[in-house]
Amino acid sequence: MTYMAGQFDVIVVGAGHAGVEAALASARMGCTTLCLTINLDMVAFMPCNPSIGGPAKGHVVREIDALGGEMGRNIDKTYIQMRMLNTGKGPAVHALRAQADKFLYQHEMKKTLEQTPNLSLRQGMVEELIIENDQCVGVRVKTGAEYRAKAVVLTTGTYLRGKIILGELIYESGPNNQQTSIKLAEHLKELGFDLVRFKTGTPPRVHRDTIDFNKMDIQPGDDNPKFFSYETNEEVPNQIPCWLTYTSEVTHEIINGNLHRAPMFSGAIEGTGPRYCPSIEDKIVRFADKPKHQIFLEPEGRNTLEYYVQGLSTSMPEEVQLNILRSIPGMEQVEMMRAGYAIEYDAIVPTQLRPTLETKRLPGLFTAGQINGTSGYEEAAGQGVMAGINAALKVLGKEPLVLDRDQGYIGVLIDDLVTKGTSEPYRLLTSRAEYRLLLRHDNADLRLTPIGHTVGLISNNRYAAFEEKKQLVENEQVRLRTTKVRPEPHVQHILEEAGSVLLNNAVDLLSLLRRPEISYQHIERMAASPVLLSDEVKEQVEIQVKYSGYIEKQLQLVDRMKKMENKKIPVDINYNEIHGIATEAKQKLSQIMPLSIGQASRIPGVTPSDISILLVYIEHYNQVTAARHAAANS
């Protein structure tokens, strides 16, 4: 028996990292929003590593924040350790990473959802979509409740036909022994969506009091931590360290001696796993020449004694896992609190999506997160905020939002998914971004805050603060360009101290700052009257000045590519009618239906020759179409 349970503008199915961002974005943009989740106790839960950020991922969190999302604010409130990675390298790969109090993280996020106007949070297992006139107009829940909406966002994570694999033990389950979603997966298949089977895994958790930290290397947080959100200005006290150890020769012997019981080698696992986050048994086999592998012990929170054993993801039998753990220096007497496991799940083939994350097959239906074939909380949240924004824009009758590859890592992520697809759980890497010097951790606000303000997720007060910072950066560069220092003793002393060439004549401060060995702090000491600026402004000035030549070259590449992106492809084009294009290219173009020549050029199997022919065809097509319209109107 079904019954009408409610009418909303947007329904979000799932309350993981994608779901909470989608629901918050939609509600904050003024749309009445329902967020449905299988278990209200699992909102924004971290089933795997208790951390946020890292290379590329940290960039995404800052971009989410610049757009008006919540992940950055939430981790800044709940971290137990904060570290900036890759500080010995250039600014393009600087990456912030936080250890989270995973329980406080989910409680704070749930509280935020509960307190957000226009947002209803409810528990329920969605089993079907409601389809009318080839549009998705709502969902049906296991209890019989029907909820109607103008747009639906699916963020089901790894719950679709989830299956836990632990040695010889295999059973249906979502992550962390939660209910799995069977009927919704079957329903999506009935609707004609292409699904793939992916796999991910998690390591065991161990008891803190059974770890010998004396045999490990401490990994402390930063003394002066930076934050993910541009709004955060207060640090969390009393950071908790992580610890580093390594596998041993005995570890490798145990794993090699039990490979016949490893599900990924015995054939028990059907799904494709993530290349860039392999299990420990996969590492031992693939990198047999390596004598040891890094293992990090990471606390899961302030009020628990559980430690996450990063680097030891495994689905080996439980007793084998314990033997592996006890073969690692510092864990000889360790007690395992939870065994690691692999989880298989269904995902949709992401080339079935538009760049807005709306499905091509079913208007009104959006998908975001691991259902789209990605891995990681950050990748999920980045998709979630974009799906929520676009669902709301659709309801409000406004133009959709698509981020270009030069605007953000989120743009790279979504373009890769919808244009190229993925044959394994997709992980965002800095190497995937061709404009990574433009997409730095430090300038996410300069890139995306205006967009967040335009869609209504950035307040006027925050936007005014952003504009002030932007103006301060510009003013300071003008001041440095127009301020000169002479070869006076104190200036020469600072240059000599920095290992820099001494002055013969007066030189402007901007030119001096371009020198690799000269920092903004040196410039401050040279100037007669230094300007009082925040550390963020100083950092931005220094990076923009030092890397101006490289940035200019990347901007020129962007301009050239924009011409390709601005060359739109008619939506009703029939690629099978175009003579000269290779058969594979016709098939791929017909499947992806790219919006522009730029997107078409990134489709695997589409060659430069195919693009040249396509350009000529579009020119002719547009001329014929224009002539028909002129004739019809005469």
Side-chain angles (χ1 to χ4, degrees):
M1 179 72 73
T2 61
Y3 69 98
M4 182 60 182
Q7 178 79 44
F8 298 86
D9 291 325
V10 176
I11 294 172
V12 178
V13 179
H17 302 282
V20 296
E21 294 293 350
L24 287 168
S26 169
R28 288 167 173 169
M29 289 171 67
C31 293
T32 56
T33 304
L34 171 65
C35 184
L36 281 165
T37 178
I38 294 174
N39 186 349
L40 281 174
D41 296 329
M42 302 295 285
V43 171
F45 183 67
M46 294 178 169
C48 200
N49 55 316
S51 68
I52 295 290
K57 293 169 176 281
H59 295 64
V60 169
V61 181
R62 275 222 147 181
E63 291 176 1
I64 292 167
D65 183 73
L67 288 168
E70 194 63 28
M71 179 174 267
R73 282 191 288 253
N74 205 61
I75 187 60
D76 285 351
K77 287 188 286 186
T78 60
Y79 74 87
I80 55 179
Q81 187 195 99
M82 192 77 78
R83 291 183 74 187
M84 183 67 79
L85 307 180
N86 299 330
T87 52
K89 300 178 181 178
V93 292
H94 289 181
L96 196 58
R97 185 179 188 272
Q99 287 299 134
D101 184 321
K102 63 186 289 183
F103 307 104
L104 185 58
Y105 183 93
Q106 66 177 120
H107 293 155
E108 283 294 321
M109 190 67 88
K110 182 169 183 276
K111 184 168 73 174
T112 297
L113 265 68
E114 291 169 340
Q115 295 176 347
T116 298
N118 299 319
L119 179 53
S120 300
L121 181 62
R122 295 183 192 172
Q123 185 165 292
M125 169 82 78
V126 172
E127 294 190 332
E128 287 182 38
L129 304 175
I130 300 173
I131 314 299
E132 291 178 359
N133 300 319
D134 295 324
Q135 301 263 338
C136 183
V137 295
V139 299
R140 291 192 184 94
V141 178
K142 190 173 185 177
T143 60
E146 284 193 359
Y147 296 96
R148 296 284 176 134
K150 299 166 187 173
V152 174
V153 184
L154 292 184
T155 66
T156 51
T158 59
Y159 282 80
L160 290 182
R161 288 203 311 126
K163 183 192 290 184
I164 297 290
I165 302 165
L166 174 52
E168 294 85 4
L169 176 64
I170 301 174
Y171 57 96
E172 290 181 344
S173 174
N176 212 48
N177 288 321
Q178 294 299 303
Q179 288 186 73
T180 187
S181 179
I182 305 294
K183 288 193 175 180
L184 181 57
E186 293 172 348
H187 181 60
L188 289 172
K189 206 163 187 177
E190 289 167 3
L191 290 172
F193 286 99
D194 292 329
L195 304 180
V196 290
R197 196 76 172 154
F198 280 167
K199 164 252 168 188
T200 189
T202 191
R205 274 67 159 180
V206 296
H207 196 293
R208 184 190 69 187
D209 292 350
T210 63
I211 302 169
D212 184 357
F213 293 115
N214 292 319
K215 295 182 179 179
M216 301 180 180
D217 299 322
I218 192 168
Q219 306 286 300
D222 292 340
D223 292 334
N224 297 300
K226 295 194 174 182
F227 306 113
F228 282 103
S229 175
Y230 288 91
E231 293 185 303
T232 304
N233 51 33
E234 188 174 333
E235 65 183 81
V236 173
N238 305 320
Q239 295 191 56
I240 301 176
C242 297
W243 300 85
L244 170 65
T245 184
Y246 296 87
T247 57
S248 68
E249 188 177 326
V250 177
T251 310
H252 297 208
E253 289 174 0
I254 293 170
I255 292 170
N256 282 319
N258 286 278
L259 287 178
H260 62 288
R261 300 184 67 192
M264 71 170 297
F265 293 108
S266 68
I269 291 177
E270 301 170 19
T272 305
R275 180 195 314 250
Y276 299 103
C277 189
S279 65
I280 187 63
E281 50 267 38
D282 194 18
K283 282 192 241 181
I284 298 302
V285 171
R286 283 168 55 187
F287 309 107
D289 57 322
K290 288 194 70 172
K292 60 182 181 179
H293 295 271
Q294 286 186 332
I295 302 294
F296 290 92
L297 276 293
E298 302 177 347
E300 296 223 316
R302 293 188 186 278
N303 299 308
T304 178
L305 299 183
E306 277 189 85
Y307 268 62
Y308 178 91
V309 189
Q310 196 210 350
L312 206 76
S313 177
T314 183
S315 57
M316 296 284 265
E318 191 171 309
E319 69 277 16
V320 177
Q321 291 189 34
L322 183 58
N323 290 335
I324 291 170
L325 287 168
R326 291 181 173 175
S327 70
I328 295 170
M331 290 199 281
E332 292 86 353
Q333 305 298 322
V334 82
E335 291 295 332
M336 183 169 68
M337 298 179 72
R338 304 185 200 222
Y341 59 85
I343 181 169
E344 283 189 348
Y345 56 95
D346 286 348
I348 73 164
V349 176
T351 52
Q352 298 169 102
L353 305 174
R354 303 184 191 281
T356 59
L357 296 180
E358 185 176 22
T359 62
K360 298 171 186 173
R361 180 177 294 275
L362 203 54
L365 178 66
F366 296 76
T367 60
Q370 284 186 272
I371 188 176
N372 289 344
T374 57
S375 66
Y377 311 142
E378 302 85 357
E379 289 92 337
Q383 294 172 72
V385 73
M386 293 302 295
I389 288 171
N390 278 314
L393 290 173
K394 184 180 181 75
V395 169
L396 297 170
K398 297 181 179 180
E399 286 295 308
L401 173 63
V402 176
L403 294 182
D404 293 334
R405 296 179 71 90
D406 63 287
Q407 291 180 293
Y409 273 93
I410 295 174
V412 173
L413 162 68
I414 294 174
D415 183 63
D416 279 354
L417 290 174
V418 304
T419 303
K420 302 174 184 176
T422 182
S423 57
E424 62 188 49
Y426 177 101
R427 179 180 180 178
L428 198 54
L429 307 166
T430 53
S431 59
R432 296 192 192 273
E434 60 270 46
Y435 308 120
R436 55 185 172 274
L437 191 53
L438 302 180
L439 309 182
R440 303 184 309 276
H441 170 273
D442 62 88
N443 71 347
D445 60 336
L446 297 175
R447 292 185 276 118
L448 298 177
T449 302
I451 295 174
H453 184 251
T454 298
V455 299
L457 293 178
I458 296 293
S459 68
N460 289 335
N461 286 342
R462 178 169 171 180
Y463 190 68
F466 157 76
E467 288 281 14
E468 182 183 5
K469 173 189 169 182
K470 186 178 173 185
Q471 191 62 54
L472 286 171
V473 171
E474 293 173 3
N475 291 347
E476 179 61 0
Q477 290 189 56
V478 171
R479 186 185 76 86
L480 294 178
R481 189 178 297 112
T482 55
T483 304
K484 292 189 175 185
V485 291
R486 302 184 181 281
E488 297 169 348
H490 83 283
V491 173
Q492 302 288 51
H493 175 72
I494 294 169
L495 291 171
E496 187 175 21
E497 189 181 79
S500 191
V501 177
L502 302 184
L503 299 184
N504 292 321
N505 302 297
V507 175
D508 64 87
L509 293 176
L510 196 78
S511 297
L512 284 177
L513 189 53
R514 286 201 180 101
R515 296 184 181 185
E517 68 279 4
I518 298 297
S519 69
Y520 188 89
Q521 284 67 37
H522 292 124
I523 296 296
E524 282 185 301
R525 289 168 58 197
M526 290 179 196
S529 53
V531 177
L532 293 177
L533 297 171
S534 69
D535 289 341
E536 266 196 356
V537 171
K538 293 175 187 177
E539 176 190 49
Q540 197 55 229
V541 169
E542 183 166 350
I543 290 172
Q544 288 189 19
V545 170
K546 283 192 182 301
Y547 294 90
S548 58
Y550 300 103
I551 291 170
E552 184 57 38
K553 286 180 182 177
Q554 290 220 332
L555 288 172
Q556 289 171 6
L557 288 174
V558 170
D559 286 340
R560 285 203 291 270
M561 196 62 200
K562 285 288 185 190
K563 294 174 182 176
M564 300 270 279
E565 299 296 342
N566 292 333
K567 190 73 175 177
K568 300 302 180 186
I569 299 175
V571 292
D572 55 350
I573 195 170
N574 184 349
Y575 292 100
N576 292 318
E577 293 180 351
I578 307 176
H579 300 294
I581 288 183
T583 302
E584 180 187 4
K586 287 180 180 179
Q587 292 171 347
K588 292 288 183 69
L589 290 164
S590 298
Q591 177 193 11
I592 306 297
M593 294 300 292
L595 300 180
S596 68
I597 290 295
Q599 187 186 1
S601 69
R602 294 189 292 274
I603 298 173
V606 177
T607 67
S609 174
D610 296 323
I611 294 296
S612 297
I613 295 168
L614 180 57
L615 281 166
V616 172
Y617 181 85
I618 290 173
E619 190 66 33
H620 175 69
Y621 181 94
N622 288 337
Q623 289 175 1
V624 170
T625 303
R628 285 174 182 165
H629 284 315
N633 294 327
S634 61

